[in-house]
Amino acid sequence: MSQQVIHPMVKLQHHVRSLVESNILKPSDSIWKIALLYGNEWHYWKQELLDFGFTMQDPVSELLAVEAWDED
């Protein structure tokens, strides 16, 4: 039995989706608003998002629209 490893960005995406569904974030909010919820972990996540080509002004909806987090 092989256990599939979940990409860290998938975990972030799921968390952000639940925040949107809970009306804590809006799909139109800028990604930088996530920083307010992540505190000390934000530096890591910000770098990950930048590495994937996001800007902090992009709407949360763009993060949620990603279907696969390939690092190729």
Side-chain angles (χ1 to χ4, degrees):
M1 257 194 169
S2 66
Q3 199 171 11
Q4 189 174 358
V5 177
I6 297 176
H7 194 287
M9 292 302 286
V10 173
K11 291 179 182 179
L12 176 67
Q13 190 179 37
H14 284 300
H15 186 233
V16 170
R17 182 171 284 119
S18 71
L19 292 171
V20 169
E21 290 169 356
S22 301
N23 294 318
I24 295 169
L25 284 175
K26 293 187 289 246
S28 58
D29 285 343
S30 298
I31 286 176
W32 65 263
K33 283 196 173 182
I34 300 169
L36 303 173
L37 304 167
Y38 272 91
N40 293 338
E41 293 177 43
W42 177 243
H43 181 73
Y44 168 80
W45 290 114
K46 180 180 178 183
Q47 193 56 54
E48 287 289 304
L49 288 161
L50 293 172
D51 289 348
F52 277 99
F54 289 97
T55 71
M56 296 304 100
Q57 288 73 39
D58 288 339
V60 167
S61 59
E62 286 192 23
L63 171 65
L64 298 178
V66 176
E67 293 182 13
W69 296 98
D70 297 327
E71 296 193 48
D72 301 338

